[in-house]
Amino acid sequence: MTSPSERGRMPSIRDVARLAEVSHQTVSRVLNDHPSIRPETKARVLDAIAVLDYRPNLAARALVTSKSQTLGVLSATIGEFGPTSSIAAIEEAARAEGYSVTTLNLTSTSPEDIGSAVRQLGREHVDGIVVLAPQVRVFHVLRGMASTVPFVTLQSASGADEIGLSADQMAGARLITEHLIALGRTEILHLAGPQDWIEAESRMRGYLDALREADLPTFPPIRGDWTADFGHFAGQELARRPDFTAVFAANDLMAIGLMHGFRDAGLRVPEDVSVVGFDDIPVAAHVAPPLTTVHQDFSELGRRAVALLLAQIRGEVAPSFGALAPVLRIRESAVSR
Amino acid sequence: MTSPSERGRMPSIRDVARLAEVSHQTVSRVLNDHPSIRPETKARVLDAIAVLDYRPNLAARALVTSKSQTLGVLSATIGEFGPTSSIAAIEEAARAEGYSVTTLNLTSTSPEDIGSAVRQLGREHVDGIVVLAPQVRVFHVLRGMASTVPFVTLQSASGADEIGLSADQMAGARLITEHLIALGRTEILHLAGPQDWIEAESRMRGYLDALREADLPTFPPIRGDWTADFGHFAGQELARRPDFTAVFAANDLMAIGLMHGFRDAGLRVPEDVSVVGFDDIPVAAHVAPPLTTVHQDFSELGRRAVALLLAQIRGEVAPSFGALAPVLRIRESAVSR
DNA sequence: TTGTAGGCGTTATCAT
DNA sequence: ATGATAACGCCTACAA
């Protein structure tokens, strides 16, 4: 005489119902804490649930509700510190709200690939998507897709009318450029990020604004690819025409590579050239010389993204976050103390 | 006269069946390419699928098959370069095989938390789990769980009888320690990773083995926490008792912090002290001096993990991978050229 | 407050 | 080779 639940199958809502001597519907009500249910009955049901170690089948629930309690993360950034920290925070915040997270890494940012990635996430019935794909093209594709799935983007220009969420990149870039100016540097170069990257544009804009405001000459920015290797290369090249006294690199990795290149060429940092970066990655404080940079709170960004997305999903009013204030981390790479 | 599929609902297998003038069962057969089906019929079905832009409902499929085509990634490492690269590779490999990936970050490694994380993944019906939780305790908990879900661990000692998959940490540690010895260093310290971390133990073991084999004195290892900040602190402390001529740090971050600490104390690297690390993170080549370290192929590790896990899930014979050979990256932090 | 009936979209089983 | 029918485990709607 074996009950179904003893035959290796996972206990279902009906097994619980039988044990608690109620209908399976009552069990369902307990599960979704429906208001009208007698405490006594509820207790019996909860008891049965505990006894059987019953867990609702998420697939069944997803099928009938067409909601999966799952958030998708669409990322087009490979293993960098910033996005990675944000993703970890997203995941934690989502779990805290009862959502699980599935990630999808974009290897290309062609409209087709983005489209198919979003569709794939749709197939998986994610309830919403967080996009960490800082290229403007991705942004455009997304807008045009009229996707049925709510989404939030993590990076964007700091323009007020954007959907996106981000630290105020432009303000940060301005801040650090002004710092260089305050130090008495007047020929300030910019080692920018790749074209098409929203953050690269914002940081460049902040840089240009600061220079213009100070009536300082601007130079055509060098286009980098975010990597330390490129920074290294650029440093060696730049050292041949030392018509500058400071460089603002669009991220820390390039700044560190840049310093390496300068070192190779016999240029001293900060004596001959000031170098500053952006992001404040964990090694920034420990390279030689310690890197002056702009600190970003990637984790907070991730948490906000989830809050915003969930509000959108639930149809609540979106919490309005002020822009995340970037903070200057002054160390020795801009000037010796 | 509106067909169901025109009323905003997603087209289902029955809509396809109606359009192709077959039973929904036949459509299902086409979907799962069942052998016995007339090519002509199949073509008609595929046509209808294309016309309706039909996509199978994954939740429904998961419900009936109790397989989700989803892999879980259980990670207990916060945003470090190595694990992150592996996770990206895992995700890519999994998608290539038609699996999606859901990640779960462990904030604590208490048995209860691990248990509930695994159960959570179980609730989500993952078909298998990749564990990147390099603490031995996690490993033990997992073994004891007799979980019904197949899993693979990414880190482990290099002992042959382990389930885990990893680069040969011990060999790498040995290799780099021998390199220090070959350079003529005889008083070699080890800045280790935290107790309880499998990799920390392996690297320490490799270090000890190399020293013993060379009849060199060993010192009690300093226990670090993997961070550059700790390395920095340790460097300042160690500089007060300079009874050593080389330090092998268990990872690059600590090595970089260490060099910073030495610099603060006026100790020159590599002239006074050689410093080497482990991992070959992207900045390793660009710090001053460039860091001699052991390169690990994190991506390959991730791919192998997926291959192994899928074989286990499908009941195929597991591909037997040889240990991933670690490779020495000789730069200037151990000795000046 | 509780129960009954029906359906979500798919695959499995047994017919034909 | 194809079709009818019955699950899978849950929720929503309505009835009692």
Side-chain angles (χ1 to χ4, degrees):
Chain A
M1 194 144 276
T2 23
S3 86
S5 64
E6 286 166 358
R7 287 209 310 268
R9 228 192 53 218
M10 292 296 289
S12 88
I13 201 171
R14 288 166 205 279
D15 299 317
V16 176
R18 198 171 312 124
L19 185 59
E21 301 183 293
V22 295
S23 81
H24 66 103
Q25 199 33 240
T26 302
V27 177
S28 173
R29 291 198 179 95
V30 172
L31 254 31
N32 304 299
D33 33 41
H34 189 92
S36 51
I37 196 157
R38 203 177 339 138
E40 180 194 313
T41 315
K42 181 169 183 173
R44 258 210 334 280
V45 170
L46 288 176
D47 231 45
I49 288 179
V51 170
L52 296 177
D53 191 32
Y54 161 81
R55 325 240 165 202
N57 181 320
L58 264 29
R61 188 175 280 177
L63 175 58
V64 65
T65 61
S66 50
K67 268 148 187 25
S68 62
Q69 292 289 107
T70 297
L71 262 30
V73 172
L74 194 60
S75 162
T77 52
I78 17 66
E80 277 170 73
F81 170 74
T84 301
S85 312
S86 292
I87 292 177
I90 288 169
E91 204 256 284
E92 193 175 355
R95 299 249 169 225
E97 296 282 345
Y99 283 78
S100 60
V101 172
T102 129
T103 52
L104 201 159
N105 272 74
L106 245 34
T107 46
S108 118
T109 58
S110 72
E112 303 82 50
D113 286 341
I114 297 166
S116 85
V118 172
R119 272 193 299 278
Q120 174 57 28
L121 251 20
R123 277 166 51 91
E124 294 173 29
H125 286 102
V126 296
D127 297 336
I129 303 180
V130 181
V131 182
L132 289 97
Q135 298 86 344
V136 295
R137 58 188 308 173
V138 174
F139 198 65
H140 289 325
V141 172
L142 246 34
R143 284 218 146 153
M145 279 197 59
S147 164
T148 165
V149 188
F151 69 93
V152 158
T153 62
L154 215 57
Q155 285 86 3
S156 92
S158 71
D161 58 3
E162 299 286 0
I163 297 184
L165 197 62
S166 78
D168 195 336
Q169 310 281 317
M170 226 173 83
R174 238 189 129 96
L175 211 57
I176 202 160
T177 307
E178 285 165 356
H179 175 66
L180 289 173
I181 295 170
L183 258 28
R185 302 302 193 180
T186 47
E187 299 86 13
I188 305 174
L189 258 43
H190 182 47
L191 176 49
Q195 206 130 24
D196 190 51
W197 283 60
I198 299 177
E199 286 154 320
E201 296 312 306
S202 304
R203 293 174 195 179
M204 188 167 86
R205 195 118 55 89
Y207 154 81
L208 290 173
D209 284 359
L211 289 193
R212 193 171 314 122
E213 205 161 88
D215 273 328
L216 252 30
T218 67
F219 301 78
I222 300 122
R223 284 288 175 185
D225 64 2
W226 300 127
T227 69
D229 285 346
F230 184 90
H232 183 209
F233 168 76
Q236 292 171 318
E237 290 298 308
L238 284 177
R240 298 170 158 189
R241 50 148 242 217
D243 57 344
F244 57 92
T245 52
V247 184
F248 164 36
N251 72 342
D252 286 351
L253 243 33
M254 289 199 294
I256 291 170
L258 196 65
M259 294 199 295
H260 185 198
F262 288 161
R263 211 183 308 131
D264 285 351
L267 230 50
R268 291 165 310 161
V269 175
E271 292 82 356
D272 301 326
V273 191
S274 295
V275 172
V276 298
F278 207 106
D279 282 351
D280 196 22
I281 63 178
V283 288
H286 299 288
V287 295
L291 188 64
T292 291
T293 185
V294 177
H295 182 81
Q296 296 215 75
D297 192 343
F298 296 104
S299 300
E300 174 61 17
L301 224 45
R303 282 187 289 274
R304 288 184 177 193
V306 171
L308 226 49
L309 186 55
L310 288 184
Q312 203 175 325
I313 290 173
R314 295 166 174 161
E316 301 168 358
V317 284
S320 75
F321 296 114
L324 256 182
V327 350
L328 203 52
R329 285 277 199 273
I330 298 179
R331 296 197 265 253
E332 285 111 62
S333 69
V335 76
S336 28
R337 301 218 180 144
Chain B
M1 193 151 269
T2 22
S3 85
S5 64
E6 286 166 358
R7 288 208 312 268
R9 228 193 53 219
M10 292 297 289
S12 88
I13 201 172
R14 288 165 206 279
D15 299 316
V16 176
R18 199 170 312 126
L19 185 59
E21 301 183 293
V22 295
S23 80
H24 72 271
Q25 196 37 238
T26 302
V27 177
S28 173
R29 291 199 179 94
V30 172
L31 255 30
N32 303 297
D33 33 43
H34 189 92
S36 50
I37 195 156
R38 207 181 332 142
E40 181 193 311
T41 314
K42 180 169 184 174
R44 258 208 337 278
V45 170
L46 288 176
D47 231 45
I49 288 178
V51 169
L52 296 177
D53 190 33
Y54 161 82
R55 325 240 164 202
N57 181 321
L58 264 29
R61 188 175 279 178
L63 175 58
V64 65
T65 61
S66 50
K67 267 144 188 25
S68 62
Q69 292 289 106
T70 297
L71 262 30
V73 172
L74 194 61
S75 162
T77 53
I78 18 66
E80 278 169 74
F81 171 75
T84 301
S85 312
S86 292
I87 292 177
I90 288 170
E91 203 255 284
E92 192 175 354
R95 300 249 170 226
E97 296 282 347
Y99 282 78
S100 61
V101 172
T102 129
T103 51
L104 201 160
N105 273 73
L106 245 34
T107 45
S108 119
T109 58
S110 72
E112 302 82 49
D113 286 341
I114 297 166
S116 86
V118 171
R119 272 193 299 277
Q120 174 57 28
L121 251 18
R123 276 166 51 92
E124 294 173 29
H125 284 103
V126 296
D127 297 337
I129 303 180
V130 180
V131 182
L132 289 97
Q135 298 88 341
V136 295
R137 56 188 307 172
V138 173
F139 198 65
H140 288 326
V141 172
L142 245 35
R143 285 218 145 154
M145 280 197 59
S147 164
T148 165
V149 188
F151 69 93
V152 157
T153 61
L154 215 57
Q155 284 86 3
S156 92
S158 70
D161 57 3
E162 298 286 359
I163 298 183
L165 198 61
S166 79
D168 195 336
Q169 310 280 318
M170 227 173 83
R174 237 189 130 95
L175 211 57
I176 202 160
T177 307
E178 284 165 357
H179 175 66
L180 289 173
I181 295 170
L183 257 30
R185 303 302 192 177
T186 47
E187 300 85 12
I188 305 174
L189 257 43
H190 182 48
L191 178 48
Q195 207 131 24
D196 191 48
W197 284 60
I198 300 178
E199 287 153 319
E201 296 312 306
S202 304
R203 292 174 195 179
M204 187 166 89
R205 196 118 54 91
Y207 153 82
L208 290 173
D209 284 358
L211 288 193
R212 194 170 315 123
E213 204 161 88
D215 273 328
L216 252 31
T218 65
F219 300 78
I222 301 123
R223 283 289 175 185
D225 62 3
W226 300 127
T227 69
D229 285 345
F230 183 91
H232 183 208
F233 168 76
Q236 293 172 315
E237 290 298 308
L238 284 176
R240 299 168 157 190
R241 49 147 243 217
D243 56 345
F244 57 92
T245 52
V247 184
F248 163 36
N251 73 340
D252 286 350
L253 242 34
M254 288 199 294
I256 292 170
L258 197 65
M259 295 200 293
H260 185 197
F262 287 161
R263 211 183 308 130
D264 285 352
L267 231 50
R268 291 166 309 162
V269 175
E271 292 81 356
D272 301 327
V273 191
S274 294
V275 171
V276 299
F278 207 105
D279 283 350
D280 196 22
I281 63 178
V283 288
H286 298 288
V287 295
L291 188 64
T292 291
T293 185
V294 177
H295 182 82
Q296 297 214 75
D297 192 344
F298 297 104
S299 301
E300 174 61 16
L301 225 44
R303 283 187 289 274
R304 288 183 177 194
V306 172
L308 226 49
L309 186 55
L310 288 184
Q312 203 175 325
I313 290 173
R314 295 167 175 161
E316 300 167 0
V317 284
S320 76
F321 296 114
L324 256 181
V327 351
L328 204 51
R329 286 277 199 273
I330 298 179
R331 295 196 266 255
E332 284 111 62
S333 69
V335 78
S336 29
R337 299 216 180 144

